[in-house]
Amino acid sequence: MEIETLSGSPRLLRNLNERAVLKRLLAEGPLTRMELEAFTGLSKPAMSELLRRLEAASLIRRDGEKAGSFGPKAGLWCIEPASAFVGGIDVSVHGIRAAVADVTGRTIAVSGRNCQPGERYDAQERLVAVIDDVARQAGISPLEIDQLVVGLPGIVDTESGNLRKGQQLPNWQGFHIPEALESVVGHRRVIIENDVNLVALEEMSAGAAQGVQSFILFWIGDGVGGAAVVGGKLLRGYTGMAGELGGTMVPDRMAAPGEMVRMALLEDLLGPASIERLVDEHGLEGDGSADAIAKAATGSGHAAFFADLSYRVAAGLTGAIGILDPEMVVLGGAIGHAAGRRLSRGVISILKTLPIALPQIVPSAVGVDSVRAGAVELALDHARERLFAGGSAARGQP
């Protein structure tokens, strides 16, 4: 039997070991030198040298001593939080919300600027002002932000950095964000992403879809949209428009056999104006549609309203479920979140009568800042990959 021998240069092996230690400390730290030796299989001298390099490169730091042992206490090591900073930005019709986090994922500052839907303003000036403010609150310079992710509603051209089509944000269409921010952050490591895609990432990281490899996020908020995750990865489609469900045609109501029905755009059934009319027609009361729906969802009344809303959501989901056969559907956005389990149960009751596989239908489990949080998560993924791949050598350590 032949034994394959894996070999590499000392520099490559050093880098791989550093990468493994950094990932371990990020996931499970603080850890002792002996615990890291057991994990990597490195000798005591080799591990001591590795830790020295990483500490000199300001990638790790000492973090006290391990309690509960006799004799000299073992020193603990952890990731240096300030080794990288990232920014996540949510741009919506209501304004801009930004956050800065360190490499461990701890949010250290938030900032924002509100606006009225339809308000005209200079997108570059507004965005730069928010970045300057959130960096100042974090106690860093904007030049220290290693990675930025900006989430916007609409069709995003991820290659050019433009919002290619966004009816909700006319101020931002055609605005080349990475180019505009280069003089502010000193680089073009700026990712532009659809807002619903970012919420899907946050659902996988901290929400209802943790551990789920295949799901659809159905979004009802300022608009209607969706995101599909297959095999743990976002499905973008050939043109990048995967998930743009608002333009799909669906029957406007459930019809009896032989009955004529009218086809309607899903946006016309679940857009903000349509939801507001539906709330008024059924006599729901509250401070806006989402608040009225949330109040109605706490009891058992308003059955006709939830039956109508459930049909509209089920009509929008049927085709996607039939094609993708997902494990789960997450109902998100302000309306999906407000309707909660009343809506989930209503959608299930309709879908189970159809000849398609029935996935789990659950309400969103992430907060109102899920776009911003998803942007931070995506920024962290990219910043950590660069940081760990470069290791101490990228910081000038021999």
Side-chain angles (χ1 to χ4, degrees):
M1 174 177 152
E2 293 186 5
I3 299 177
E4 183 181 1
T5 301
L6 298 178
S7 61
S9 70
R11 185 186 182 95
L12 173 62
L13 295 176
R14 183 182 79 172
N15 185 261
L16 292 174
N17 286 327
E18 288 183 355
R19 181 187 180 95
V21 166
L22 288 169
K23 283 192 164 187
R24 190 73 166 194
L25 288 175
L26 179 66
E28 299 184 17
L31 298 171
T32 66
R33 188 202 71 234
M34 291 182 65
E35 288 169 332
L36 292 169
E37 287 170 12
F39 165 64
T40 61
L42 293 176
S43 66
K44 178 179 177 179
M47 179 55 68
S48 296
E49 174 59 19
L50 184 150
L51 294 174
R52 182 202 65 76
R53 288 195 307 271
L54 293 179
E55 184 181 27
S58 298
L59 293 173
I60 65 172
R61 71 180 187 190
R62 298 176 187 269
D63 190 33
E65 298 175 332
K66 187 169 186 176
S69 59
F70 296 101
K73 298 290 190 291
L76 291 167
W77 296 88
C78 71
I79 290 283
E80 170 54 65
S83 57
F85 297 100
V86 303
I89 300 174
D90 171 19
V91 179
S92 74
V93 297
H94 304 291
I96 305 173
R97 297 194 296 271
V100 167
D102 63 34
V103 75
T104 69
R106 182 177 66 93
T107 298
I108 56 178
V110 296
S111 182
R113 186 76 64 86
N114 295 329
C115 72
Q116 295 298 318
E119 177 184 335
R120 301 299 298 185
Y121 60 85
D122 185 298
Q124 180 170 346
E125 179 182 317
R126 188 71 57 90
L127 180 59
V128 170
V130 170
I131 291 172
D132 283 341
D133 187 58
V134 75
R136 179 183 55 78
Q137 292 191 42
I140 64 173
S141 162
L143 296 170
E144 295 178 78
I145 299 176
D146 297 279
Q147 178 74 56
L148 268 175
V149 173
V150 181
L152 308 98
I155 301 169
V156 172
D157 188 333
T158 54
E159 291 187 7
S160 71
N162 292 339
L163 180 62
R164 189 171 50 182
K165 190 175 181 182
Q167 294 179 339
Q168 299 179 46
L169 297 174
N171 300 315
W172 294 76
Q173 280 191 218
F175 170 39
H176 194 284
I177 299 174
E179 182 179 277
L181 293 182
E182 185 173 10
S183 62
V184 180
V185 296
H187 56 73
R188 292 196 184 184
R189 296 191 296 274
V190 182
I191 296 172
I192 315 304
E193 183 58 272
N194 173 266
D195 57 349
V196 181
N197 282 347
L198 292 175
V199 176
L201 295 178
E202 182 65 5
E203 290 287 359
M204 283 195 288
S205 173
Q210 292 181 71
V212 177
Q213 293 295 299
S214 172
F215 73 95
I216 295 170
L217 172 63
F218 190 83
W219 183 266
I220 321 167
D222 291 322
V224 183
V229 172
V230 177
K233 297 185 180 299
L234 281 168
L235 182 66
R236 299 186 180 279
Y238 176 66
T239 66
M241 290 181 63
E244 294 296 323
L245 298 174
T248 58
M249 296 287 290
V250 298
D252 68 343
R253 58 191 172 83
M254 188 75 80
E259 183 182 359
M260 294 292 292
V261 296
R262 182 172 63 89
M263 299 299 289
L265 288 174
L266 191 60
E267 180 69 39
D268 292 338
L269 296 180
L270 288 172
S274 299
I275 294 295
E276 186 176 348
R277 285 194 298 270
L278 190 63
V279 166
D280 291 341
E281 288 169 7
H282 288 275
L284 276 61
E285 297 181 351
D287 184 15
S289 297
D291 182 63
I293 293 170
K295 288 177 178 176
T298 59
S300 57
H302 301 288
F305 168 80
F306 284 101
D308 199 344
L309 181 62
S310 296
Y311 166 75
R312 297 180 184 202
V313 173
L317 279 171
T318 303
I321 291 174
I323 293 171
L324 296 178
D325 188 22
E327 178 183 346
M328 176 182 287
V329 171
V330 179
L331 304 178
I335 302 305
H337 199 277
R341 298 203 175 277
R342 286 285 302 270
L343 180 58
S344 298
R345 291 194 294 268
V347 174
I348 289 171
S349 69
I350 295 170
L351 292 180
K352 71 181 181 182
T353 67
L354 303 178
I356 57 174
L358 181 63
Q360 302 176 61
I361 311 288
V362 301
S364 170
V366 297
V368 294
D369 287 319
S370 54
V371 176
R372 189 181 68 189
V376 168
E377 282 296 325
L378 183 57
L380 283 169
D381 285 346
H382 284 264
R384 288 167 177 168
E385 180 61 29
R386 279 196 305 274
L387 190 70
F388 296 169
S392 64
R395 301 261 178 140
Q397 294 301 305

